Amino acid sequence: MGTSSTDDLGPKHPAFAAHFRDPIYDDEGDDFAPFGNDEGWDLVFLTARRADELDGSTTVAQIDPEWLGDEAEVAAGLDEGDVDMVDVVIGAGFTLLRLTGQIDDLGRALVLRALDTRDRVYGRQPQTERMRADLLAFG
C-alpha cells in the first residue's frame, strides 16, 4: 500500500474533487475506504499510471478487464463469499470516478451492489454509507 502521500493515489479529476470531498477518498489505510484495502490501492495506483488511456467513455469493467471483463460473472460474484470481488468493484468504480470524473450506468449499479454486499458482510459502516450517498448524489 501507499506510504508517502495521497499523491500516490494519482490525480483527481475536477468533478471528482468537487463532489467526493470526504477524507475517506484520500485514505490509504482504512480497509473500508475505496483505496485503503489492497485491491482498491492496487487499482488506483496502477490505473493512475495509465490515466492517459482513460476518457469519458471508459467503463468500470475497463479499469480491470481481468477481474471485471465478464459483467454477468461479476454481478453473480457480488456475494458474501467473495469479499475480494466486492473490494475490486468498489475500488474500480471509485478509481474511474477519481481519474475521469464519470462512471458508466452499469458500473454505478455494480458499485452500489458491492456496497450493499459489504454491509451484509461487515455490518453498516460510516465509510460505506458515505460512498453510497455520494455516488447516488453524483451526476
Side-chain angles (χ1 to χ4, degrees), residues 85-119:
M85 178 62 81
V86 169
D87 289 345
V88 166
V89 169
I90 293 168
F94 283 98
T95 292
L96 180 63
L97 283 159
R98 183 183 185 94
L99 298 176
T100 69
Q102 61 83 34
I103 188 167
D104 57 296
D105 291 340
L106 179 60
R108 179 191 306 255
L110 287 172
V111 172
L112 290 168
R113 186 164 168 198
L115 292 169
D116 290 345
T117 303
R118 183 181 274 176
D119 281 348

Side-chain angles (χ1 to χ4, degrees), residues 14-102:
F16 180 88
H19 185 79
F20 297 92
R21 295 190 307 256
D22 193 280
I24 65 167
Y25 299 110
D26 291 319
D27 195 324
E28 299 174 25
D30 181 346
D31 282 339
F32 292 111
F35 313 117
N37 54 60
D38 290 341
E39 290 78 12
W41 164 256
D42 287 349
L43 282 166
V44 74
F45 180 76
L46 295 173
T47 306
R49 292 177 151 187
R50 59 181 183 85
D52 58 331
E53 300 171 18
L54 309 177
D55 62 31
S57 67
T58 303
T59 66
V60 168
Q62 291 170 310
I63 294 297
D64 191 343
E66 186 176 322
W67 271 84
L68 304 173
D70 184 338
E71 293 161 345
E73 189 175 305
V74 172
L78 286 176
D79 63 35
E80 294 83 353
D82 194 347
V83 292
D84 287 344
M85 178 62 81
V86 169
D87 289 345
V88 166
V89 169
I90 293 168
F94 283 98
T95 292
L96 180 63
L97 283 159
R98 183 183 185 94
L99 298 176
T100 69
Q102 61 83 34

